[in-house]
């Protein structure tokens, strides 16, 4: 299944509740979604999972948080970008680097990886809720993809 198809299904599901508000933003969100999916796939990371992470982090937008986390995966440049700066940093790769580091630390356990991706060294209450939201969204998207397009995403 193509990244474009996965992203179309994801965005249709996740934006339906506010379709009018999202409508002008959808082309950029679709492009960002495909970039995340393609980069994850190239690294052997579950692209549906990372699309779910990017939705939770940024709603698939190129934004910077008050804490300085940047890009669709909200990577912390000071930790994941060469020179500690957004300047010249591929923020999708930086987010994938962060995900892979946490995944390696927790032996690929998705819940622990998501929790620590959000909370760093401390997997507290907010990060536990974050991990649940990501994994719930991931499972709903997988189910929708199978229903609409069969297995093979």
């Amino acid at each position: 299944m193509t990244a474009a198809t996965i992203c179309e299904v994801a965005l249709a599901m996740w934006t339906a509740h506010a379709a009018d508000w999202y409508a002008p933003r959808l082309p950029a969100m679709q492009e960002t979604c495909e970039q995340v999916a393609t980069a994850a796939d190239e690294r052997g990371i579950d692209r549906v999972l990372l699309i779910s992470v990017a939705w939770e982090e940024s709603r698939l937008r190129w934004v910077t948080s008050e804490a300085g986390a940047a890009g669709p995966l909200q990577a912390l440049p000071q930790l994941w970008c060469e020179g500690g700066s957004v300047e010249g940093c591929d923020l999708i790769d930086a987010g994938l680097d962060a995900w892979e580091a946490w995944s390696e630390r927790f032996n690929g356990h998705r819940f622990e990886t998501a929790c620590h991706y959000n909370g760093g060294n401390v997997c507290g209450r907010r990060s536990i809720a974050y991990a649940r939201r990501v994994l719930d969204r991931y499972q709903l998207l997988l189910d929708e993809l199978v229903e609409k397009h069969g297995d093979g995403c």
Side-chain angles (χ1 to χ4, degrees):
M1 187 176 311
T2 67
T5 299
I6 294 169
C7 292
E8 287 166 10
V9 171
L11 289 170
M13 285 178 58
W14 300 339
T15 63
H17 68 284
D20 290 341
W21 188 86
Y22 281 113
R25 296 161 178 85
L26 283 176
M29 293 167 75
Q30 175 76 23
E31 181 179 348
T32 300
C33 183
E34 290 178 30
Q35 291 170 342
V36 170
T38 300
D41 197 42
E42 287 172 355
R43 291 169 78 159
I45 302 172
D46 184 333
R47 58 190 176 171
V48 176
L49 179 57
L50 267 292
I51 290 167
S52 301
V53 170
W55 177 264
E56 187 65 33
E57 289 289 346
S58 68
R59 299 300 187 254
L60 292 162
R61 296 174 299 143
W62 291 87
V63 294
T64 302
S65 74
E66 290 179 15
L73 292 166
Q74 291 293 280
L76 289 169
Q78 62 269 33
L79 298 176
W80 301 106
C81 296
E82 190 173 322
S85 170
V86 171
E87 192 71 32
C89 182
D90 181 324
L91 293 168
I92 292 175
D93 278 345
L96 295 175
D97 288 345
W99 182 267
E100 284 183 318
W102 289 113
S103 182
E104 185 176 312
R105 182 169 175 185
F106 293 102
N107 299 313
H109 189 273
R110 289 181 177 143
F111 185 86
E112 290 295 328
T113 300
C115 195
H116 288 277
Y117 182 86
N118 178 258
N121 289 323
V122 178
C123 185
R125 236 177 329 145
R126 285 182 31 180
S127 297
I128 289 169
Y130 165 93
R132 285 185 183 137
R133 287 191 309 273
V134 166
L135 294 179
D136 287 349
R137 183 173 307 282
Y138 168 69
Q139 190 59 57
L140 289 171
L141 179 53
L142 282 177
D143 292 347
E144 186 76 3
L145 290 166
V146 168
E147 182 178 313
K148 289 187 182 253
H149 299 281
D151 204 5
C153 54

